[in-house]
Amino acid sequence: MAQIIDGKNVALQVKLEVKEQVARLKAQRSVIPGLAVVLVGDDPASAVYVRNKQKACDDVGIHSRTFSFSADVEQRELEILIQELNKNPQYNGILVQMPLPKPLDARALLNMIDPDKDVDGLLPVNIGRLAIGEDALYPCTPLGIMVLLQRYSIPVSGAHAVIVGRSNLVGKPLSLMMLAANATVTVCHTRTRDLPDIVHQADILVAAAGRRGIIKGEWIKQGAAVIDVGTNRAENGKLTGDVEFEQAEKRASFITPVPGGVGPMTIAMLMKNTLAATERQIRS
Ligand code: NAP
């Protein structure tokens, strides 16, 4: 039976570490890290995500402010805000909550953010730095997965890591991080032939397709580590992953639950990135 990877607990530990470092920065350098969050429209899910991020900031002592706009805001107004935030030393990190309502151009707006304040790690500059192994701000969800593997002492070097999903948010940057950690990486997507066979070769399986239960328990290799990123709503409203949990946990050595696995790590990594961005800005 697999050991359950307790993402909630690891996220709590990471936040405590960030809190200590934030307190040290304040005491030694009189600097309080700051995070600016841009929220547009009234999407209830986005409002919840932003509230959770603000709460995490409060918990660790990071100063945060949400800049809220109605859905009909002009692109230009948001661009002016980003330019101001780029220059404002009170904010070390800038985050635009996605998705943006149409017809706003999200990519154009994101690309205006100073890469050293890009705490979501999604700008081409940061993905490029990651690709060539330079110091960068890394995307929060893949970074959270790497930290989970590290905290549970799951060996990545030399392992065959199979990632199901190739999005810019999760699969693609994770494949670069796994490669940097010396895994042999296979990335699967909707055109992949014989998914069960490839999944069966995985020492580390990361499911990030966003399709409930597409990874069958019997596909999992005995002893594999299974990381389920998927967050899907079942008919009964319950949150479930991409992996058939009950069957998979009988074969895996480690497995993340949904909820309580990868999810809590994402916000913890945002705190870590905001601290890292602040330290980097102090140094430069
Ligand atoms: P996405 O942009 O929709 O990408 C999904 C990827 O999975 C695509 O590359 C797609 O292939 C692939 N895929 C879909 N169905 C597949 C299938 N049947 N077989 C093989 N590959 C398949 O999604 P995302 O943004 O990466 O998110 C993935 C999941 O993670 C979602 O459930 C999302 O809610 C969750 N998520 C959770 C967190 C968290 O903090 N817990 C953070 C981010 C995302 P193609 O490229 O060929 O279309």
Side-chain angles (χ1 to χ4, degrees), residues 245-260:
F245 185 86
E246 281 77 19
Q247 294 84 338
E249 84 170 323
K250 292 183 190 131
R251 303 174 70 97
S253 55
F254 293 91
I255 191 165
T256 58
V258 178

Side-chain angles (χ1 to χ4, degrees), residues 5-281:
I5 295 179
D6 187 347
K8 246 178 161 166
N9 189 263
V10 178
L12 202 67
Q13 282 171 27
V14 170
K15 282 194 280 182
L16 282 175
E17 290 158 19
V18 171
K19 187 177 178 172
E20 276 174 27
Q21 285 165 284
V22 167
R24 202 170 309 141
L25 260 188
K26 193 175 168 189
Q28 294 176 352
R29 308 287 299 254
S30 305
V31 171
I32 299 175
L35 175 68
V37 179
V38 181
L39 175 64
V40 184
D42 49 13
D43 176 40
S46 291
V48 172
Y49 291 140
V50 167
R51 261 205 310 278
N52 290 342
K53 288 169 188 178
Q54 276 213 296
K55 183 179 177 309
C57 284
D58 293 345
D59 290 347
V60 302
I62 288 176
H63 156 72
S64 78
R65 177 168 165 197
T66 301
F67 296 82
S68 301
F69 295 87
S70 60
D72 60 359
V73 63
E74 296 277 329
Q75 175 95 11
R76 184 78 196 117
E77 198 175 331
L78 296 174
E79 289 177 358
I80 290 169
L81 173 69
I82 297 291
Q83 281 165 344
E84 285 171 1
L85 291 171
N86 280 343
K87 283 187 271 171
N88 188 337
Q90 269 200 321
Y91 296 106
N92 309 95
I94 304 169
L95 180 159
V96 179
Q97 184 62 44
M98 295 294 154
L100 287 185
K102 286 192 175 109
L104 292 169
D105 183 344
R107 190 30 85 180
L109 196 64
L110 284 180
N111 284 344
M112 291 187 67
I113 296 175
D114 176 347
D116 290 337
K117 294 192 176 187
D118 168 33
V119 282
D120 262 343
L122 296 174
L123 289 193
V125 172
N126 278 313
I127 298 290
R129 285 175 181 160
L130 166 62
I132 61 170
E134 274 186 13
D135 189 23
L137 289 166
Y138 293 162
C140 297
T141 302
L143 182 59
I145 293 169
M146 297 307 288
V147 171
L148 281 180
L149 294 171
Q150 190 200 8
R151 300 277 166 126
Y152 277 82
S153 305
I154 297 167
V156 177
S157 180
H160 184 188
V162 173
I163 301 167
V164 183
R166 57 173 165 182
S167 71
N168 290 335
L169 189 64
V170 186
K172 227 179 270 174
L174 180 64
S175 69
L176 295 169
M177 289 180 208
M178 289 280 193
L179 207 52
N182 297 316
T184 300
V185 183
T186 303
V187 182
C188 304
H189 44 79
T190 53
R191 313 290 167 88
T192 296
R193 275 191 229 126
D194 210 355
L195 187 64
D197 185 47
I198 298 174
V199 166
H200 191 67
Q201 295 170 34
D203 301 310
I204 299 171
L205 172 71
V206 181
R211 300 281 181 279
R212 178 156 67 99
I214 61 154
I215 307 290
K216 306 298 170 204
E218 75 235 32
W219 299 357
I220 310 289
K221 181 163 87 174
Q222 203 72 41
V226 176
I227 308 291
D228 195 348
V229 189
T231 47
N232 315 290
R233 287 269 165 214
E235 290 87 16
N236 61 7
K238 263 181 76 178
L239 210 58
T240 57
D242 289 355
V243 179
E244 282 186 345
F245 185 86
E246 281 77 19
Q247 294 84 338
E249 84 170 323
K250 292 183 190 131
R251 303 174 70 97
S253 55
F254 293 91
I255 191 165
T256 58
V258 178
V262 174
M265 291 301 288
T266 300
I267 289 189
M269 292 305 113
L270 178 66
M271 301 300 105
K272 209 171 157 65
N273 274 354
T274 305
L275 174 67
T278 308
E279 287 171 334
R280 182 194 266 259
Q281 286 158 37

